Amino acid sequence: MKLSIIRSACGSLRIHQARPGCRVSGLSRRCPPVSAASGRLIVRAASATTSSGTSPKLAVNFGKQSQKEDGLECDSSLREVVQSTKEALVALQRKNPTIQPVLAIIQAGEDDSLLETNKKIAEKIGLNVTQICLAKHCSEDEIVEEVLKLNEDPRVHGVYLHLPPTSLTHRVLNTLKPEKDVDGISYSNMGHLVQGDPNKGLVPPIASAVMDLLEKHDAPLEGRTVLMIGAEGPLGVAMQFQIERRGMVALKSHWSFNNLQRQVMQADAVVLLGAENIDIPPTWVKPGAAVIRCEPTLETDEHATEMSSKSGLGYLTAAYRIQNVVRSSSRWLQEQQYRQWWLRSLKLQPLTPVPSDIEISRAQTPKPVDQLAKEIGLLPEELEAYGRSKAKVRLSLLDRLHTQPDGNYILVAGITPTPLGEGKSTVTIGLVQALSAHLKLNSFACLRQPSQGPTFGVKGGAAGGGYAQVIPMEEFNLHLTGDIHAITAANNLVAAAIDARMLHEATQSDKALFNRLVPSVNGVRRFSPIQMARLRRLGINKTDPASLTPQEVTTFVRLDLDPSKITWQRVVDTNDRFLRKITVGQANTEKGQIRETGFDIAVASEIMAILALADSLEDMKNRLARMVVGTSRCGQPVTAEDLGVSGALAVLMKDAIKPTLMQTLEGTPVFVHAGPFANIAHGNSSVLADKLALKLVGRDGFVVTEAGFGADIGMEKFFNIKCRASGLRPNVVVLVATVRALKMHGGGPNVSAGAPLPREYIDENLTLVAGGCHSNLRKQIQITHLFGVPVVVALNVFKTDTQAEIDLVCQIAKECGASDAVPCHHWAQGGRGSLELAQAVNDAASRPSNFQFLYDLEMPIVEKIRTIAQKVYGADDIELSPEAKTKIDYYNQQGFSSLPICMAKTHLSLSHMPEKKGAPTGFILPIRDVRASIGSGFIYPLVGTMSTMPGLPTRPCFYDIDLDPVTEEITGLF
């Protein structure tokens, strides 16, 4: 009862708030007597849209009713409808105490007669009525504009168009959402009524009121004849089908019909629906018949107003309208609940030999993204389409389904890969295709967005491969919805803010800085909210800029960044090795502010890691504010919030925080979101994508998410960093292995990207396979067991693998502790080729999981690093460089010691030495430096030399990427 809506095309709006429990007074007129001799029920009705769409005025005389009561209390039908509607509203609010249904009346002119009728009924039931008055001769555009606003207002559950019939155009009726059309005049509601299914639509209130009176008449309804005179338009149709559904015979006529008197004399009831103000002579009506008149009017003459104030049927019609509002509210609330999936799979027809990835992608027509969204239970308002095949999903979904149990949470990791990659993304996609399209279990894949650096550099497309892909693969690999570009813009805004602040501090006095940072606007000087936050952090509890002391002014305006200790770099989403180290500030305008800095690739930005770990927009904003960009000369960390830029960063990232919905080749849903590096960051897709997907799949569904690189890197960080941030716990780990990688770990020759594979990897070699299984595969299974999660080994089968090699891998994997090990043929067969894996994962998920973290956050930083090095990598111990020790002492002093650890090391070996394959032992892990991503929420030690800016090879992938200018088809993306 607190809703107020203030908007109108003509600027005239009445807002009325009903108060539940209020006593309605001022209606003491007695009902006029009815002749008992005739036994007729005579009703003059006005309160709903008539056959022509006009609002009727109300005048009622009741026969066979108590004449001791008056006003609202004189009609038992009214009391019954009001009471039942009130009970329905109470039950609805018991389920959801926050819901408060509202009826909005859009009308032409400022007549309040109809409003008062609806308001009095609303008061008795306990909801609000809002009136929007347009100009008397308002245009179609003005009406549509108001309707659109009310359509999108979640607080409004019913809209009544109290407009002239000429204003109820096809466009207006099509614009009004059927679920809010409480007068039942939209085409959709009429369609439900005609099809004999009024429970799916809303019945016109005047039709319900008239039927109510007919049912209370003395004679039984079945077989009776009801004559409707002037029954044109939606109300006539509604009335006809309501009458026929009650077993009566409905006849239609017009005032000009020659045999009208004969038809009236034969009818058991007469309903006057036309616009003509003509009465039926009493001598025409046979004894015991009922005559009901609906007199259309929009005029505001005194007679019409007076008649309305006497109307019992007018209030009954209003009561049915309010009942429709409550029904609409109930249906809306039902729509907010979890929806069962009705997923339509796309058929695959795998070819042999398998075509290129892009040819396979183009051969499949993806479902429109809005159709996919509907199939998996998303509401239209939760979707922001980016073209036909992809869309952002709003985070409001989490609020809507907050009580919905999560599904099963599956992590896909891998053994230590070759430089060619072992197909974790492909396995992830093949698994969800098998689960959803073939086993009919709800499943969602959650993948990282590929960087354009590798796409045009050494890797090419990253949408999966073969018949296990995300489609359209061109859109997946190129730009997508612009998240990486948003990160680039935000990251570089911080970099620009750093250098600009250093320049201004170096060239201005404290007073000049203060005057420019806190300018006087119209003679008033105020701190901005972000400046107030900085003052509080500095311990200055003042709000008036004029009250600061000179020392406080100095402390406030000077960040005093040490140029040699700035940790923030610029980013670009291109492999450009010549930007690894650059010099900035060389122009004369920079006044000698020259310093060395560099570029990272965009996905290495801390903002990317924040995007992946944030669990809400507010959390992301707070993390952005906490980002440390450097250190002051007195040794204090300087944050993005100190720079005053964190609010702007949130603005740049407000759309990027929403996951992108796409689909696989078999039409199963995929969330693509975030893409942090797996060596310097945690290398996992976003927490938010996983959380949204876990709600959508339902209790028995599956969310399959992927960790970067081997289990020693991506999986360890998934558990110790991502699971701490999300609060989620996985049920199963799928460990991806290939015969090729196992042969390498078993002693095979080096594998290099772009070079032909040595014969050992093409010919059968069981000795090399067994060596890799007993070393690297065994170790990665052991790492998984450290966290108490069951593991299923998925052998990604290549065409060069022999059956003996496949059988040997599966046998040894089970001996090493895997709950199951199965071959996967998704690349050549799609989901059907991963059915065995899907069944193994389903079985493993039904077993209990005893998840545990590897270390306690309160352990010292050094001990957390040592725990990872010894238990995960197999090192004997760690060795800290002097610089690393100094950094750890600094982080302890600043209160960062309780953050988790994100090790930055090579992905090509369990150790820090890329050439050491298998499961190296007996080594000391060197920690050359330790850095902090405070916004992301982790400490990352550097093991060896880690590059955050890849370079292009001699022959990059872009040599093969091209565009046909006629067809606009892309070639070369695999």
Side-chain angles (χ1 to χ4, degrees):
M1 288 70 94
K2 298 180 180 178
L3 176 63
S4 294
I5 304 174
I6 303 177
R7 56 171 179 249
S8 174
C10 67
S12 176
L13 174 62
R14 306 269 174 93
I15 302 168
H16 302 269
Q17 298 187 15
R19 297 183 297 278
C22 285
R23 189 170 179 80
V24 181
S25 59
L27 295 171
S28 58
R29 298 180 180 86
R30 298 180 62 83
C31 295
V34 177
S35 170
S38 68
R40 293 196 307 267
L41 172 65
I42 303 174
V43 180
R44 293 170 183 259
S47 78
T49 305
T50 68
S51 60
S52 61
T54 310
S55 291
K57 62 184 178 183
L58 309 182
V60 59
N61 293 323
F62 288 97
K64 305 295 185 184
Q65 295 285 343
S66 169
Q67 296 180 21
K68 296 180 180 179
E69 302 180 53
D70 51 24
L72 292 180
E73 304 302 326
C74 71
D75 184 13
S76 62
S77 294
L78 176 62
R79 290 197 300 271
E80 290 171 8
V81 176
V82 167
Q83 183 60 31
S84 64
T85 305
K86 187 173 184 178
E87 291 171 359
L89 179 58
V90 169
L92 187 64
Q93 291 175 329
R94 192 178 296 121
K95 294 179 182 177
N96 188 342
T98 63
I99 194 168
Q100 178 57 55
V102 173
L103 168 64
I105 300 174
I106 299 180
Q107 67 181 58
E110 299 187 31
D111 174 27
D112 284 349
S113 58
L114 186 96
L115 172 70
E116 291 304 317
T117 303
N118 286 274
K119 190 173 73 167
K120 291 182 186 300
I121 297 297
E123 285 177 340
K124 296 185 76 67
I125 291 172
L127 47 73
N128 291 336
V129 178
T130 295
Q131 181 187 40
I132 299 174
C133 297
L134 303 180
K136 190 169 184 178
H137 301 290
C138 55
S139 68
E140 183 184 62
D141 286 343
E142 289 171 327
I143 297 170
V144 167
E145 181 182 354
E146 293 301 326
V147 170
L148 287 171
K149 291 175 183 176
L150 295 175
N151 279 347
E152 299 307 316
D153 192 332
R155 300 167 298 179
V156 173
H157 296 94
V159 178
Y160 172 31
L161 301 177
H162 180 39
L163 299 167
T166 54
S167 295
L168 294 176
T169 63
H170 175 83
R171 181 183 171 208
V172 169
L173 293 179
N174 262 348
T175 300
L176 178 59
K177 281 186 175 180
E179 59 268 28
K180 294 192 178 187
D181 168 33
V182 290
D183 262 57
I185 59 174
S186 67
Y187 301 140
S188 176
N189 282 321
M190 282 290 111
H192 286 304
L193 202 59
V194 170
Q195 291 173 349
D197 195 4
N199 293 328
K200 288 187 178 179
L202 295 171
V203 178
I206 185 62
S208 298
V210 170
M211 292 307 302
D212 193 315
L213 292 174
L214 289 174
E215 288 174 346
K216 289 197 167 47
H217 193 41
D218 288 342
L221 296 182
E222 189 169 353
R224 309 293 284 180
T225 299
V226 179
L227 177 65
M228 298 182 294
I229 302 177
E232 300 295 337
L235 183 57
V237 174
M239 196 73 72
Q240 176 184 346
F241 281 93
Q242 287 287 81
I243 291 170
E244 292 175 349
R245 285 184 69 243
R246 301 298 203 287
M248 295 181 282
V249 178
L251 300 176
K252 290 186 177 182
S253 187
H254 296 280
W255 292 103
S256 59
F257 191 60
N258 292 333
N259 294 323
L260 180 62
Q261 180 178 355
R262 181 175 58 83
Q263 288 182 318
V264 173
M265 294 182 71
Q266 293 176 348
D268 300 301
V270 180
V271 180
L272 309 179
L273 297 169
E276 294 85 351
N277 190 15
I278 303 175
D279 283 322
I280 294 290
T283 57
W284 289 16
V285 183
K286 73 178 182 180
V291 179
I292 302 174
R293 170 180 284 281
C294 302
E295 296 178 321
T297 183
L298 277 173
E299 295 82 19
T300 57
D301 56 86
E302 294 182 4
H303 178 67
T305 305
E306 179 184 352
M307 298 283 275
S308 179
S309 68
K310 296 177 182 177
S311 169
L313 184 56
Y315 288 116
L316 180 58
T317 305
Y320 275 110
R321 181 178 295 113
I322 299 300
Q323 185 181 79
N324 277 349
V325 176
V326 174
R327 284 177 176 167
S328 176
S329 304
S330 178
R331 291 173 185 175
W332 175 83
L333 191 60
Q334 187 64 33
E335 287 287 301
Q336 302 304 302
Q337 305 307 307
Y338 178 78
R339 296 182 176 187
Q340 296 297 320
W341 284 26
W342 298 97
L343 189 68
R344 179 180 66 86
S345 301
L346 301 178
K347 301 301 180 184
L348 277 186
Q349 294 181 329
L351 301 177
T352 304
V354 176
S356 69
D357 290 352
I358 200 164
E359 288 175 312
I360 293 172
S361 175
R362 289 206 183 112
Q364 187 68 287
T365 301
K367 293 179 283 190
V369 70
D370 57 343
Q371 177 187 327
L372 173 65
K374 185 176 182 180
E375 290 176 354
I376 62 175
L378 284 164
L379 302 180
E381 58 265 29
E382 292 167 342
L383 210 65
E384 296 176 1
Y386 280 65
R388 184 180 180 275
S389 303
K390 56 186 182 293
K392 288 284 192 180
V393 174
R394 294 179 179 172
L395 305 186
S396 58
L397 172 68
L398 286 175
D399 296 326
R400 178 169 69 87
L401 298 182
H402 71 279
T403 60
Q404 171 68 21
D406 289 343
N408 297 286
Y409 197 28
I410 313 301
L411 175 68
V412 175
I415 65 170
T416 303
T418 68
L420 307 178
E422 310 316 308
K424 290 193 305 299
S425 298
T426 312
V427 169
T428 299
I429 297 165
L431 174 56
V432 296
Q433 289 181 172
L435 286 165
S436 286
H438 299 275
L439 294 185
K440 305 305 178 184
L441 297 169
N442 296 352
S443 69
F444 233 109
C446 292
L447 302 174
R448 289 181 293 169
Q449 179 183 350
S451 166
Q452 288 181 168
T455 297
F456 291 99
V458 297
K459 189 174 183 180
Y467 287 99
Q469 288 189 56
V470 178
I471 56 172
M473 68 97 74
E474 302 101 307
E475 295 184 27
F476 181 90
N477 285 300
L478 301 174
H479 304 293
L480 200 60
T481 49
D483 293 355
I484 292 180
H485 301 315
I487 289 166
T488 301
N491 184 100
N492 292 343
L493 179 61
V494 176
I498 291 169
D499 287 313
R501 185 60 176 262
M502 291 172 63
L503 169 67
H504 295 310
E505 287 190 20
T507 57
Q508 297 181 48
S509 66
D510 291 353
K511 181 178 180 181
L513 274 172
F514 189 72
N515 288 339
R516 287 180 172 86
L517 288 171
V518 192
S520 177
V521 179
N522 296 325
V524 179
R525 191 190 297 270
R526 291 191 182 96
F527 292 117
S528 68
I530 201 167
Q531 290 175 328
M532 291 296 300
R534 171 164 167 76
L535 286 169
R536 288 193 296 270
R537 288 195 306 278
L538 294 172
I540 302 172
N541 298 314
K542 296 179 179 180
T543 59
D544 181 6
S547 66
L548 266 62
T549 67
Q551 181 57 47
E552 288 171 338
V553 167
T554 300
T555 304
F556 170 72
V557 300
R558 297 208 174 271
L559 301 180
D560 201 24
L561 274 160
D562 185 339
S564 66
K565 294 182 179 179
I566 292 173
T567 55
W568 198 264
Q569 301 211 115
R570 288 165 172 82
V571 298
V572 63
D573 197 31
T574 304
N575 291 359
D576 192 346
R577 58 167 37 91
F578 282 89
L579 292 178
R580 289 172 180 170
K581 182 169 285 190
I582 63 170
T583 303
V584 296
Q586 295 191 68
N588 293 334
T589 53
E590 312 319 323
K591 302 181 180 179
Q593 298 298 306
I594 299 173
R595 67 180 184 91
E596 283 191 351
T597 182
F599 273 78
D600 296 330
I601 196 165
V603 291
S605 170
E606 183 177 355
I607 297 176
M608 174 63 87
I610 287 173
L611 177 66
L613 289 171
D615 66 2
S616 66
L617 185 58
E618 182 180 8
D619 183 38
M620 182 183 72
K621 183 178 177 181
N622 292 336
R623 287 173 178 269
L624 291 170
R626 293 197 300 266
M627 292 188 305
V628 174
V629 301
T631 306
S632 70
R633 286 185 172 87
C634 62
Q636 293 301 309
V638 176
T639 66
E641 191 171 32
D642 290 326
L643 283 169
V645 73
S646 55
L649 301 182
V651 170
L652 287 171
M653 295 293 294
K654 70 179 180 64
D655 291 322
I657 196 173
K658 304 165 193 171
T660 300
L661 176 66
M662 296 188 75
Q663 63 192 283
T664 69
L665 279 167
E666 297 191 53
T668 65
V670 178
F671 272 140
V672 187
H673 201 213
F677 259 29
N679 45 15
I680 64 164
H682 65 292
N684 287 268
S685 63
S686 76
V687 165
L688 280 169
D690 291 357
K691 285 191 170 184
L692 291 171
L694 284 165
K695 294 299 183 187
L696 285 170
V697 297
R699 184 193 301 272
D700 299 321
F702 291 81
V703 171
V704 185
T705 190
E706 176 195 350
F709 295 141
D712 56 306
I713 298 182
M715 186 193 73
E716 181 270 314
K717 295 173 182 179
F718 172 89
F719 288 142
N720 284 318
I721 298 174
K722 184 177 178 180
C723 287
R724 291 186 198 271
S726 68
L728 301 174
R729 302 293 180 261
N731 300 90
V732 180
V733 169
V734 173
L735 190 66
V736 178
T738 61
V739 167
R740 177 180 67 195
L742 290 170
K743 286 180 176 180
M744 179 187 72
H745 291 296
N750 288 335
V751 175
S752 301
L757 280 174
R759 294 300 307 175
E760 289 88 342
Y761 297 98
I762 299 172
D763 299 334
E764 182 177 286
N765 192 318
L766 299 179
T767 301
L768 291 179
V769 171
C773 288
H774 287 296
S775 59
N776 196 269
L777 179 61
R778 180 192 298 274
K779 177 63 176 176
Q780 302 287 15
I781 293 173
Q782 290 172 349
I783 294 170
T784 307
H785 288 162
L786 289 173
F787 298 92
V789 182
V791 56
V792 173
V793 171
L795 181 64
N796 186 14
V797 176
F798 291 178
K799 61 183 180 181
T800 55
D801 300 344
T802 68
Q803 191 60 48
E805 291 173 330
I806 293 169
D807 293 341
L808 182 61
V809 173
C810 294
Q811 173 194 334
I812 297 177
K814 294 175 187 177
E815 293 172 355
C816 292
S819 61
D820 207 345
V822 295
C824 302
H825 302 274
H826 46 274
W827 183 80
Q829 301 174 22
R832 191 173 301 280
S834 284
L835 275 172
E836 195 175 353
L837 174 63
Q839 192 58 61
V841 168
N842 192 17
D843 292 343
S846 65
R847 303 183 192 125
S849 174
N850 301 307
F851 177 78
Q852 60 186 9
F853 293 114
L854 185 64
Y855 52 79
D856 189 284
L857 287 180
E858 299 309 314
M859 289 173 60
I861 292 175
V862 172
E863 289 308 311
K864 285 184 281 194
I865 297 172
R866 181 175 284 112
T867 298
I868 295 172
Q870 293 178 335
K871 292 187 176 181
V872 177
Y873 306 153
D876 285 349
D877 204 351
I878 62 173
E879 182 179 39
L880 298 173
S881 70
E883 184 178 7
K885 291 178 182 178
T886 301
K887 290 282 188 67
I888 290 173
D889 291 340
Y890 174 72
Y891 297 142
N892 287 331
Q893 174 191 345
Q894 295 299 325
F896 303 149
S897 62
S898 61
L899 294 176
I901 302 300
C902 183
M903 300 288 281
K905 80 167 187 74
T906 179
H907 62 286
L908 297 175
S909 172
L910 280 163
S911 71
H912 60 288
M913 300 166 282
E915 70 281 2
K916 298 292 184 181
K917 307 301 181 182
T921 57
F923 62 94
I924 304 296
L925 191 74
I927 309 298
R928 70 174 180 85
D929 196 5
V930 179
R931 297 177 185 172
S933 290
I934 304 304
S936 305
F938 52 71
I939 303 289
Y940 65 100
L942 299 179
V943 181
T945 301
M946 298 302 304
S947 175
T948 55
M949 171 56 80
L952 291 173
T954 304
R955 191 186 188 281
C957 292
F958 60 63
Y959 273 83
D960 302 310
I961 298 172
D962 203 355
L963 178 73
D964 187 318
V966 176
T967 65
E968 296 187 5
E969 283 193 348
I970 298 169
T971 57
L973 278 177
F974 270 32

